[in-house]
Amino acid sequence: MTAIPSESGVERSLLSWLDGLGWETHGQDGGRGANVLDEAYERDSHEVIYWNLLAEQVIALNEDVTEENVEKFVSSLRRDLDAENLMDGNRAFYTLLTKGKTFSVQRDDGTTDTVYVDLIDYENPENNRFHAVNQFSVSRETTIRPDVNLFINGIPLVTMELKSLAQDNDWHDAVRDLKQYEEDVPRLFVPGLFNVAADTMELRYGAVGAPTEFYEPWNDAPEAYQDDNAMRQAVKALCNRETLLDLVKNFVFYERRAGGDAKIVPRYMQYYAVNRILDRVRRGEHKRGLIWHTQGSGKSFTMLYAAENLLSRSSVARNPQVFVIVDTDKLNSQMRDQLANLSLEQWTEAESINHLQELIEEGSSQLVLTTIQKFEDVDPDVQGNDEVVVMSDEAHRFMEGGLGTRLDNALEGAYHFGFTGTPVQEGKRYAPDEREQAKRNTMREFSPEGEDYLHRYSVKQGIDDGLILPVYFTLRHEMEWAIDDAGLDEEFEQEFRGLTTDEKREAIRENVNATTLAEIEPRVEKAVEEIDAHYDEHVSPNGWKGMVVTPSRRSAAMYGERLIERRGDAEVEVLYTSTKDDPDLIKQFHTDSEERDSIVQDFKQEDDPKLLVVHNMLLTGFDAPILKTMYLDRNLKNHNLMQAIARTNRPAEGKENGEIVDFQGVFENIDEALDYDAETKAYAARDKDELYDDLVEQVERVLDIFDGIPKDDTQEATSAAIERISTHPERREFKQNFRRLQNLYEAVAPDGRLVSEGIERDYKWLSRIHVAFMRTTSGDDDPEEEMREKTREILDKHVDITEIKRDFPTYKLGEEYLEDVEGLDNPGVKASQIAHATREHLHPRENQNPRYRRLSERVTDIVERWQGEDMSDPEAVEALKSVEEEVLNVEREADEAGMEAAEFAIYTHLTEESRDAIESDEQAEEVAEEIVTQFRERVDRGYAGWRTNQQTIAEIERILLDVLVVEHDLGQLIREDDGFVDDVRNYLIQNNE
């Protein structure tokens, strides 16, 4: 006999799955299962709870409730269902479900006691009654009849609405019905935990009161519940009795919002990650763990669910102190506001370094929110609580420097869980030896040997679940260049005829790079023309917005001018900060923090502006679902590139995907753009103690060079130390051994032994000697900005862009690229590379003078590299190297000699742009010198790719925090103007190319 597919079939299947999970089910035979319970427990159709069943269970679970007084208790509980507002009623009833209801009990001796009556037994699930029935009809002002309801002890906790695709309905229709039920008969949902909307193929769940966009899948399961049928697996994993009780008891937040409170239940990756953390703490086998949940999955709530469970569940820890650590004041403010609006009670914020130390010493069992920077001067060995759990947000950004060492030293023996939203293993291409690989591997800090992640939620899973969208990229990086070689040669010779050959060569290296070319007017004109047409054709018609990302503030200003000419002031905004020393071109678009906040808020809405032009701003932590297309004209890699991608992948109604139009060729070789491997983990975990031993030996080796010289803070000691290393062989020995010492120190940090064993103190003394030594040998500042300006003028005259190549396919940046970038082999991209290699072969470069390469040859070389081979690397030195690189063999000292320009740039910024923040020019000079000094000490510039490596960016930010906040109390420079950090980072990197 043939049966026609219908909702009833979905209903019966679901009830059969629940039956297999141990639920008492009624309705599998196709009848109205609710009628069975209605008759058994004499329910009136206007009631939403099986009161007689609940009365039986309350008596069974509570010694103080008896046959004689249960009716009194039930009558009181009935009144708790009366609520004018669904969410207010739900929140109040949730307290009764989890903490019990107060009840006055008359004793035999005439006295009265107030007791708590449990409605559910969470410790012994078998003591509860679990019913699943279909067609539960409730008639109040109107009548509703959801398809399936789940009851625990007669209380409706889950309401399900089912649809059949065969009847042209899906889960979206089910959500609409559920929302209508909540409006028509809110009383049914006052006790509710969540609702389920499902169809023939898919299942979504959402908290009571949740809007449609927060109905989400449950796409993972423990081994016991895994199933080839995805919907059956979801039912088994989400609705098994143990998980449902766990969710009710331990995984509900209420959040105060402007439009009214919201109930929050966890996403599946949050739930499983938290339970992994709890299990690790409960077992005590390891004290580390790394949680990689892709951006947009809700890491903050995962941490807060974990904190709440750690603090409330004595079976996990007796009386723990929990630290949630972030690395910026902005993130701290966001988390503080989140905590203030949640129903989490035991928390406080560390307001200062001293306050943090007091909290550590007190050891109170509560959540402590703090920034990593506050650990700078916290004393070691002062813990007042031996059960400490630390959770570090964006772990990849700050755990590999000195502050991480301070944290480990201050909270010795603590459990430490790292959270990150971007991949944390950088491949061998950016870490040429094993120690360098270990140094860049966050797993070394957070993963026990043999473990990759404690829990992982990948980009692919985020796309599959609809939390984020796939991102597509289109290459627009190939341009036809028309170069007047003879004119370039002649004008360059005339303009710089006073320089020696070596000085000319150095000038080219310093001033002609990828950024310089990106600032050439003909190229900007052609790119703006392309952006303008693409936006009108592909982005604007659907109501989406765009962002243009440029390699410099100058190029941002050039893009801004030309886009405004084409589209008008209202549609285009340019975001960066400028200084009084900047040219008018840049100063015209200066914005302060208040203006930027206003622009960003407007951008997130439907009205103008439509296009944002940025350099560094808004590439991280900026969520605007209306942003679909990024026009990328800046070389980004790894963490930075992942962050940029995430700006375009936020879901919005009607938005199918994000998009990147690539003018730099970043995605031409995806293997280089997103380079992470899985091999460094094993080495790092195994070899950390060996690295520490090597560091101790290396410190002693370098200190031996200064044998007999006091290691103190006196002029005499410093002078004697510099004098000793000013001549050979000590000079060569110090330079070589200190470079290795820097690498080892950064590879070992953070490690509490660096402080406790005095290694950090010795290293700082040697670092200061190194700084003084470099200052005595670095030479004079060069007028670099003037030379750059002249070079731009020459290039503008003699270089033209005739065409942008458009015949590249569009590639999907999502599952196949972000899930497993190491194995990527995209044939379209590979074919493009072969074509470029052929062009290189057909147009060999001249090389008549190995000591001095003419400007036209270098420009031609850069263009060819942009068009075909290795030019995804953004560093100017690497971009300008030719096949004769070994002959040129520029020593690292030449790269560092230009740092004096960075010091002057920072000094100028402080004295002219941030005058109100400093006390005097002398203070500005001291701050600038200290920043550059710290930069030399702490930033490793000895490997290809250091300028764009995430570790470099993060370390510079830490240097600014150390110098400005800790040493000089100038934190307002960072808090009030986020552009200051971006500008100083540019001064340091661009003056060290």
Side-chain angles (χ1 to χ4, degrees):
M1 178 178 176
T2 301
I4 307 300
S6 67
E7 290 179 11
S8 298
V10 178
E11 187 178 284
R12 287 194 299 274
S13 293
L14 193 145
L15 286 170
S16 71
W17 303 336
L18 292 168
D19 188 73
L21 294 169
W23 289 80
E24 298 179 51
T25 60
H26 299 284
Q28 289 190 65
D29 58 1
R32 289 184 57 187
N35 286 351
V36 178
L37 289 188
D38 289 349
E39 293 173 7
Y41 295 103
E42 301 177 334
R43 181 186 74 95
D44 292 332
S45 63
H46 66 279
E47 296 289 359
V48 301
I49 290 177
Y50 286 103
W51 293 110
N52 291 340
L53 172 56
L54 180 60
E56 291 178 6
Q57 287 299 108
V58 167
I59 293 171
L61 299 178
N62 297 274
E63 181 180 350
D64 293 310
V65 181
T66 64
E67 294 283 357
E68 289 72 29
N69 63 16
V70 69
E71 186 56 41
K72 177 184 175 183
F73 174 79
V74 168
S75 295
S76 175
L77 189 61
R78 288 175 189 267
R79 292 191 291 272
D80 291 311
L81 289 176
D82 297 329
E84 294 184 7
N85 176 276
L86 171 57
M87 198 49 58
D88 289 344
N90 188 274
R91 184 170 190 165
F93 204 93
Y94 176 74
T95 301
L96 304 181
L97 285 173
T98 54
K99 297 182 178 179
K101 177 176 172 58
T102 58
F103 183 51
S104 296
V105 178
Q106 192 79 25
R107 301 300 184 189
D108 292 340
D109 60 3
T111 61
T112 301
D113 285 341
T114 299
V115 298
Y116 278 91
V117 175
D118 291 329
L119 304 182
I120 296 174
D121 188 343
Y122 296 98
E123 299 300 321
N124 305 286
E126 66 277 3
N127 291 338
N128 302 294
R129 295 285 300 279
F130 298 86
H131 288 93
V133 303
N134 67 333
Q135 303 301 309
F136 181 72
S137 177
V138 182
S139 299
R140 297 190 75 82
E141 294 181 2
T142 186
T143 298
I144 64 171
R145 187 183 296 170
D147 291 320
V148 175
N149 280 86
L150 306 186
F151 298 85
I152 299 181
N153 297 335
I155 302 169
L157 292 181
V158 179
T159 298
M160 301 181 173
E161 186 67 12
L162 311 175
K163 300 297 180 183
S164 171
L165 296 177
Q167 294 177 290
D168 199 23
N169 290 303
D170 63 13
W171 66 267
H172 295 92
D173 299 294
V175 172
R176 281 191 287 272
D177 287 351
L178 288 164
K179 300 301 294 178
Q180 190 63 50
Y181 294 160
E182 288 181 343
E183 185 176 329
D184 291 343
V185 186
R187 191 179 183 87
L188 173 61
F189 300 90
V190 167
L193 174 63
F194 59 77
N195 302 326
V196 169
D199 57 39
T200 311
M201 301 300 294
E202 295 190 63
L203 178 147
R204 297 290 189 276
Y205 73 103
V208 168
T212 303
E213 59 265 29
F214 288 104
Y215 274 73
E216 297 175 351
W218 191 281
N219 281 343
D220 196 9
E223 185 175 355
Y225 299 122
Q226 289 177 5
D227 198 300
D228 292 338
N229 183 322
M231 184 172 163
R232 184 164 56 206
Q233 174 178 286
V235 171
K236 291 162 64 176
L238 175 61
C239 297
N240 70 82
R241 297 180 301 175
E242 293 75 14
T243 296
L244 194 61
L245 287 176
D246 193 18
L247 289 168
V248 174
K249 178 67 174 176
N250 302 305
F251 286 89
V252 173
F253 282 135
Y254 289 88
E255 184 178 31
R256 288 191 296 272
R257 294 180 180 173
D261 287 2
K263 185 173 189 172
I264 300 171
V265 295
R267 294 165 172 163
Y268 69 86
M269 82 293 297
Q270 296 169 330
Y271 177 74
Y272 291 131
V274 169
N275 276 311
R276 293 273 181 90
I277 292 171
L278 299 179
D279 189 58
R280 178 146 294 179
V281 174
R282 185 186 292 112
R283 293 173 181 269
E285 294 174 357
H286 301 294
K287 291 203 167 184
R288 290 288 190 269
L290 182 64
I291 293 88
W292 170 16
H293 284 185
T294 194
Q295 297 173 17
S297 59
K299 295 192 306 300
S300 295
F301 273 107
T302 305
M303 288 190 288
L304 296 181
Y305 277 125
E308 175 75 352
N309 277 271
L310 287 164
L311 293 168
S312 63
R313 299 172 74 165
S314 58
S315 62
V316 177
R318 297 188 315 276
N319 206 32
Q321 188 174 36
V322 180
F323 289 83
V324 170
I325 302 178
V326 297
D327 72 331
T328 67
D329 288 337
K330 183 176 182 180
L331 288 174
N332 188 83
S333 298
Q334 290 174 352
M335 185 68 81
R336 179 184 63 235
D337 294 343
Q338 187 80 77
L339 283 164
N341 290 322
L342 286 179
S343 50
L344 197 154
E345 298 175 356
Q346 300 168 265
W347 73 276
T348 189
E349 179 187 8
E351 298 176 355
S352 65
I353 293 174
N354 290 336
H355 187 212
L356 175 60
Q357 176 145 337
E358 290 173 8
L359 293 170
I360 294 173
E361 292 174 353
E362 292 169 4
S364 298
S365 184
Q366 61 181 337
L367 185 159
V368 177
L369 172 65
T370 182
T371 60
I372 182 65
Q373 289 77 24
K374 290 189 176 73
F375 281 91
E376 172 65 20
D377 292 324
V378 171
D379 295 334
D381 303 322
V382 296
Q383 288 174 247
N385 192 325
D386 60 0
E387 286 187 305
V388 174
V389 181
V390 177
M391 290 182 283
S392 298
D393 190 22
E394 298 297 350
H396 66 276
R397 287 217 293 256
F398 65 76
M399 283 312 301
E400 297 181 59
L403 290 174
T405 293
R406 289 288 179 174
L407 185 153
D408 281 356
N409 208 53
L411 299 174
E412 186 176 1
Y415 288 90
H416 199 162
F417 299 97
F419 289 74
T420 183
T422 55
V424 292
Q425 289 177 286
E426 292 191 0
K428 292 181 178 179
R429 187 175 296 109
Y430 298 102
D433 57 54
E434 289 184 326
R435 283 194 172 87
E436 287 297 302
Q437 293 165 29
K439 177 175 168 181
R440 301 187 203 344
N441 193 344
T442 313
M443 285 185 182
R444 189 202 66 209
E445 286 306 315
F446 293 102
S447 296
E449 183 175 356
E451 177 179 280
D452 287 343
Y453 303 95
L454 182 59
H455 194 266
R456 180 187 180 193
Y457 182 71
S458 70
V459 175
K460 181 181 185 300
Q461 288 172 293
I463 292 172
D464 289 343
D465 292 345
L467 294 184
I468 57 177
L469 298 174
V471 176
Y472 295 81
F473 69 87
T474 302
L475 290 168
R476 287 290 183 270
H477 67 298
E478 281 203 8
M479 301 185 185
E480 296 293 335
W481 292 74
I483 301 173
D484 178 7
D485 288 357
L488 274 174
D489 293 348
E490 180 180 350
E491 188 155 351
F492 184 81
E493 291 292 355
Q494 182 177 350
E495 188 66 49
F496 299 112
R497 58 184 177 276
L499 300 180
T500 66
T501 300
D502 284 348
E503 287 171 338
K504 290 175 184 176
R505 186 187 66 189
E506 187 67 18
I508 294 169
R509 288 189 62 258
E510 293 292 331
N511 298 304
V512 181
N513 51 47
T515 299
T516 309
L517 292 179
E519 295 170 352
I520 295 175
E521 288 192 12
R523 183 183 181 280
V524 174
E525 291 280 4
K526 191 60 73 172
V528 166
E529 179 183 332
E530 179 75 11
I531 291 170
D532 186 52
H534 183 278
Y535 183 82
D536 280 339
E537 184 176 351
H538 300 287
V539 186
S540 178
N542 296 307
W544 306 120
K545 297 191 177 184
M547 176 186 287
V548 182
V549 181
T550 69
S552 66
R553 291 180 306 146
R554 182 187 185 91
S555 58
M558 296 173 72
Y559 271 104
E561 280 188 339
R562 287 153 182 79
L563 284 168
I564 288 171
E565 287 174 5
R566 289 173 173 268
R567 310 194 66 86
D569 289 334
E571 283 201 16
V572 181
E573 291 284 359
V574 183
L575 295 184
Y576 57 68
T577 59
S578 66
T579 71
K580 295 177 181 177
D581 197 42
D582 284 325
D584 291 341
L585 171 66
I586 294 177
K587 284 195 291 188
Q588 66 176 315
F589 292 116
H590 171 79
T591 52
D592 58 34
S593 58
E594 219 173 274
E595 291 171 326
R596 288 193 297 275
D597 287 345
S598 176
I599 291 169
V600 166
Q601 290 307 312
D602 289 343
F603 182 78
K604 291 181 177 181
Q605 309 306 315
E606 293 183 1
D607 297 329
D608 290 333
K610 299 296 194 305
L611 281 168
L612 294 181
V613 182
V614 303
H615 168 42
N616 274 334
M617 292 179 180
L618 306 185
L619 297 185
T620 63
F622 172 60
D623 287 339
I626 200 169
L627 172 60
K628 177 178 179 177
T629 302
M630 176 178 289
Y631 299 98
L632 182 62
D633 195 16
R634 179 179 173 187
N635 270 311
L636 297 173
K637 281 188 173 68
N638 297 326
H639 299 307
N640 292 329
L641 183 54
M642 291 290 290
Q643 293 277 3
I645 291 167
R647 306 288 70 80
T648 69
N649 69 8
R650 295 301 193 256
E653 186 175 355
K655 182 179 175 184
E656 298 295 330
N657 61 276
E659 177 185 31
I660 295 179
V661 180
D662 178 8
F663 288 91
Q664 276 283 335
V666 172
F667 294 101
E668 185 185 21
N669 188 336
I670 199 79
D671 295 330
E672 285 198 14
L674 295 172
D675 181 57
Y676 304 98
D677 66 52
E679 297 176 0
T680 58
K681 179 268 304 178
Y683 173 83
R686 182 183 67 247
D687 207 47
K688 186 173 181 182
D689 286 339
E690 182 182 333
L691 285 172
Y692 179 81
D693 294 337
D694 288 350
L695 172 64
V696 173
E697 293 177 8
Q698 189 65 13
V699 169
E700 293 173 353
R701 186 175 294 114
V702 181
L703 284 174
D704 285 344
I705 298 173
F706 304 97
D707 184 42
I709 297 175
K711 311 304 185 293
D712 56 23
D713 184 20
T714 63
Q715 184 275 334
E716 292 88 349
T718 303
S719 178
I722 294 172
E723 183 176 354
R724 178 162 299 181
I725 57 178
S726 294
T727 57
H728 294 293
E730 288 83 0
R731 175 188 175 98
R732 181 182 299 107
E733 183 181 2
F734 177 70
K735 287 170 59 179
Q736 293 174 347
N737 282 288
F738 186 80
R739 171 61 65 180
R740 181 167 188 266
L741 175 59
Q742 283 182 309
N743 292 338
L744 282 171
Y745 189 87
E746 292 297 330
V748 170
D751 189 316
R753 293 173 294 181
L754 297 179
V755 177
S756 61
E757 300 298 326
I759 302 300
E760 183 185 70
R761 183 185 62 250
D762 290 340
Y763 177 75
K764 284 187 174 180
W765 186 85
L766 290 169
S767 296
R768 294 300 173 89
I769 298 302
H770 181 259
V771 170
F773 166 72
M774 294 304 299
R775 285 296 296 264
T776 62
T777 60
S778 63
D780 297 328
D781 288 350
D782 293 324
E784 295 184 4
E785 183 53 41
E786 181 181 354
M787 185 172 288
R788 288 195 185 98
E789 186 62 36
K790 290 179 179 178
T791 303
R792 288 191 197 101
E793 292 174 1
I794 295 172
L795 292 171
D796 283 344
K797 289 180 182 178
H798 298 284
V799 177
D800 196 9
I801 307 295
T802 59
E803 183 182 354
I804 297 179
K805 183 175 179 180
R806 303 174 59 87
D807 56 347
F808 285 99
T810 296
Y811 303 104
K812 185 175 182 181
L813 181 58
E815 294 95 330
E816 62 267 44
Y817 292 115
L818 302 183
E819 179 68 9
D820 188 12
V821 294
E822 278 301 310
L824 179 68
D825 185 17
N826 186 285
V829 176
K830 297 298 183 184
S832 176
Q833 292 176 320
I834 294 170
H836 291 309
T838 303
R839 186 180 297 119
E840 170 92 341
H841 176 74
L842 294 175
H843 300 281
R845 298 185 286 292
E846 293 182 345
N847 189 14
Q848 297 178 352
N849 185 349
R851 292 183 57 84
Y852 175 60
R853 295 182 58 85
R854 317 267 306 155
L855 180 59
S856 59
E857 292 174 326
R858 289 181 177 272
V859 172
T860 301
D861 180 55
I862 290 172
V863 171
E864 289 173 352
R865 288 175 182 270
W866 269 28
Q867 291 179 340
E869 295 194 327
D870 302 322
M871 200 48 202
S872 59
D873 186 348
E875 293 76 24
V877 173
E878 293 300 313
L880 296 170
K881 282 183 178 178
S882 67
V883 293
E884 290 77 25
E885 184 177 5
E886 291 185 9
V887 178
L888 298 177
N889 192 24
V890 180
E891 294 183 351
R892 183 170 292 120
E893 289 80 4
D895 293 332
E896 297 170 344
M899 286 197 290
E900 296 299 323
E903 181 178 335
F904 178 74
I906 298 169
Y907 170 78
T908 303
H909 191 120
L910 289 169
T911 54
E912 297 185 6
E913 177 65 18
S914 304
R915 164 63 64 184
D916 294 341
I918 60 171
E919 297 175 359
S920 64
D921 288 0
E922 289 74 19
Q923 185 192 38
E925 185 175 1
E926 181 181 352
V927 169
E929 179 181 355
E930 182 62 20
I931 289 173
V932 176
T933 296
Q934 293 280 353
F935 175 79
R936 287 173 173 167
E937 288 181 15
R938 294 164 53 174
V939 174
D940 181 3
R941 288 152 287 152
Y943 62 93
W946 69 268
R947 295 169 184 82
T948 54
N949 188 277
Q950 179 62 27
Q951 183 176 338
T952 298
I953 305 303
E955 187 63 27
I956 290 173
E957 291 178 0
R958 288 194 287 266
I959 289 169
L960 297 183
L961 288 166
D962 290 347
V963 175
L964 296 172
V965 179
V966 179
E967 298 185 21
H968 292 278
D969 194 26
L970 294 174
Q972 67 270 29
L973 282 168
I974 296 175
R975 291 191 298 271
E976 295 176 0
D977 185 5
D978 58 0
F980 180 81
V981 174
D982 296 335
D983 289 336
V984 173
R985 185 192 303 118
N986 285 335
Y987 301 151
L988 292 169
I989 292 177
Q990 292 184 12
N991 285 302
N992 280 274
E993 293 182 340

